[in-house]
């Protein structure tokens, strides 16, 4: 990576030194990523501030039951999330983790569906998307197996376009300025029925749905098998738990599995209260603050400086 002027440290020196000493000699490293990793890119997390979409708790829309009840509302939520994710960029932590994957035997388990790690060119074979992707779509019909990966069409159907401000005469020429924030309570969400939602091109019957894992759904079996295979290969030296409340299973359970395989745990989180359920042990680390700043600094002893200005976004 290109050398840049060093930024002031955001991590206590003693902790940084002991972490890097362990990182440098680690041969098998795991990371569990959550929404906090993408917070400084501009995407809201699920729990806590920002976890509300209009009056809806984001997690209450992430269920098959919500989709069954009101697919129009759930599609509006996901269409908005797709649009937001396409409008932001990977941050230095996404790039630093991608670089570590090129340098070490390092497997990343991401709960994030925002596409930012792939866009930071994280090697695909070392990135396991536990909860799918906003940019995969699949048929919601139980008997149809249609799945399309990397669908970046925004909006996915014209009826899911973010409403525009027709009343503002200055905005006709500038699409970006015409878009209203659908998370704003004052912007009406149109009621969308079956006829206005994306249909499966294969069975021509089922509605398409986002290719993400909702509550009470199984995680993708091929992903889980790959993770198990890697975990079973040998002991693990280190697990980094980055920007996640670590409350959703089975993802959160990987922290304890890694610990049982010998891993020391390093948590990087804005909130000191969000340690893994099993707590922190005396040889663990808790780095409090913004992952986008802390992660590149922690990994510097292996990957060098992270200069995002010289790094490319795979989406461009
Ligand atoms: C920063 C920061 C900054 C902010 N820098 N940090 C065992 C025990 C109890 C329950 C269960 C269990 N096993 C299974 C369950 C049930 C359930 C579950 O876990 N429930 C719990 C809530 C209690 N799990 C499931 O249902 C899973 N399926 C399953 O187990 O299937 C089994 C089955 C078997 C047989 C038949 C059928 C099924 C599926 C879970 C799917 C989760 N899906 C979601 C939605 C994905 C789509 C979408 O995006 O809309 O995944 S829910 C949501 O939570 C999303 C996230 O990936 C996930 C985790 O959230 P995350 O990333 O941790 O975000 P937050 O907001 O919680 O935390 C952000 C953190 O960042 C905070 O700590 C901040 O402090 C921090 N932060 N800014 C650093 N700048």
């Amino acid at each position: 990576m290109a050398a840049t002027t060093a930024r002031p440290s955001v991590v206590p020196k003693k902790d940084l030194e002991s972490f890097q000493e362990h990182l440098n000699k680690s041969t098998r490293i795991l990371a569990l990523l959550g929404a906090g990793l993408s917070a400084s890119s501009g995407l809201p997390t699920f729990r806590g501030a920002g976890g509300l979409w209009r009056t809806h708790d984001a997690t209450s829309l992430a269920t098959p039951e919500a989709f069954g009840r009101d697919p129009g509302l759930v599609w509006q939520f996901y269409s908005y999330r797709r649009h937001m994710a396409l409008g932001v960029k990977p941050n230095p932590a996404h790039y630093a983790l991608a670089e570590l994957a090129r340098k070490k035997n390092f497997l990343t388990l991401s709960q994030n569906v925002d596409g930012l790690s792939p866009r930071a060119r994280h090697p695909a074979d070392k990135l396991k998307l536990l909860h799918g992707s906003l940019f995969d779509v699949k048929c919601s019909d139980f008997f149809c197996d249609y799945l399309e990966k990397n669908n970046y069409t925004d909006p996915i159907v014209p009826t899911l376009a973010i409403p525009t401000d027709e009343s503002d005469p200055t905005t006709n020429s500038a699409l970006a300025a015409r878009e209203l924030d659908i998370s704003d309570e004052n912007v009406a969400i149109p009621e969308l029925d079956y006829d206005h939602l994306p249909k499966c091109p294969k069975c021509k019957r089922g509605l398409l749905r986002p290719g993400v894992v909702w509550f009470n759904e199984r995680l993708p079996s091929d992903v889980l098998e790959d993770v198990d295979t890697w975990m079973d290969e040998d002991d693990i030296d280190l697990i980094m738990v980055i920007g996640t409340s670590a409350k959703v299973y089975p993802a959160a359970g990987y922290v304890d599995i890694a610990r049982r395989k010998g891993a020391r745990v390093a948590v990087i989180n804005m909130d000191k209260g969000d340690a893994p359920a099993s707590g922190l042990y005396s040889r663990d680390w808790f780095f409090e603050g913004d992952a986008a700043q802390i992660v590149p600094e922690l990994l510097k002893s292996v990957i060098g400086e992270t200069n995002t200005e010289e790094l490319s976004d795979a989406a461009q």
Side-chain angles (χ1 to χ4, degrees):
M1 284 200 167
T4 54
T5 320
R7 292 181 201 90
S9 173
V10 289
V11 175
K13 191 162 176 263
K14 200 164 125 289
D15 292 347
L16 179 64
E17 281 172 1
S18 72
F19 175 85
Q20 289 184 333
E21 190 187 320
H22 186 68
L23 174 72
N24 294 349
K25 63 178 191 231
S26 292
T27 54
R28 287 188 18 103
I29 306 168
L30 198 59
L32 177 67
L33 311 182
L37 174 72
S38 300
S40 84
S41 288
L43 298 179
T45 58
F46 286 86
R47 294 161 188 84
L52 270 189
W53 180 69
R54 299 170 68 89
T55 54
H56 303 276
D57 172 352
T59 54
S60 74
L61 295 172
T63 67
E65 293 76 24
F67 187 75
R69 234 181 356 255
D70 192 346
L73 176 71
V74 173
W75 254 121
Q76 296 269 355
F77 171 59
Y78 281 97
S79 183
Y80 176 67
R81 300 252 315 274
R82 284 164 60 98
H83 182 75
M84 293 239 296
L86 288 173
V88 302
K89 291 191 161 129
N91 67 51
H94 294 103
Y95 287 110
L97 292 165
E99 187 61 11
L100 185 67
R102 286 185 278 272
K103 295 260 156 68
K104 289 258 190 190
N105 185 354
F106 168 47
L107 189 71
T108 294
L109 315 181
S110 181
Q111 301 172 85
N112 296 345
V113 296
D114 54 33
L116 293 181
S117 289
R119 281 171 54 191
R121 300 184 192 279
H122 198 116
D125 59 332
K126 294 182 163 190
L127 177 67
K128 299 299 162 194
L129 300 178
L130 299 176
H131 294 164
S133 165
L134 287 174
F135 302 102
D136 293 347
V137 283
K138 59 185 188 180
C139 185
S140 62
D141 189 299
F142 183 77
F143 297 102
C144 180
D145 62 358
Y146 179 77
L147 166 68
E148 182 188 358
K149 290 202 164 269
N150 304 320
N151 175 323
Y152 295 104
T153 310
D154 179 33
I156 189 163
V157 287
T159 42
L160 283 167
I162 291 181
T164 56
D165 187 356
E166 305 288 340
S167 62
D168 183 348
T170 62
T171 56
N172 287 341
S173 56
L175 183 66
R178 285 166 53 208
E179 290 169 349
L180 292 177
D181 181 358
I182 206 170
S183 64
D184 178 344
E185 298 284 308
N186 299 315
V187 176
I189 294 187
E191 283 188 21
L192 295 178
D193 58 16
Y194 178 88
D195 291 338
H196 298 100
L197 294 172
K199 307 287 174 325
C200 176
K202 187 174 175 190
C203 71
K204 313 251 187 298
R205 184 182 58 236
L207 284 179
L208 290 179
R209 54 158 282 184
V212 297
V213 181
W214 286 327
F215 282 114
N216 304 321
E217 292 187 321
R218 282 178 205 274
L219 276 62
S221 54
D222 55 336
V223 172
L224 293 182
E225 277 164 26
D226 287 352
V227 176
D228 286 349
T229 303
W230 189 91
M231 303 280 280
D232 289 346
E233 269 164 18
D234 208 340
D235 283 349
I236 300 169
D237 298 302
L238 171 68
I239 179 167
M240 293 181 282
V241 183
I242 306 174
T244 175
S245 57
K247 290 192 168 47
V248 173
Y249 287 81
Y254 286 115
V255 181
D256 283 341
I257 299 175
R259 215 193 263 290
R260 285 199 292 276
K261 301 210 67 149
R264 292 177 70 178
V265 178
V267 179
I268 297 103
N269 200 299
M270 287 292 247
D271 184 345
K272 195 103 200 181
D274 275 354
S278 55
L280 287 176
Y281 293 17
S282 59
R283 297 174 74 236
D284 294 344
W285 297 268
F286 192 102
F287 296 105
E288 188 178 0
D290 180 10
Q293 270 187 286
I294 293 175
V295 171
E297 184 171 359
L298 293 180
L299 304 186
K300 200 159 61 181
S301 61
V302 173
I303 65 167
E305 292 282 350
T306 304
N307 180 4
T308 48
E309 278 160 29
E310 290 187 10
L311 297 168
S312 61
D313 177 342
Q316 287 163 352

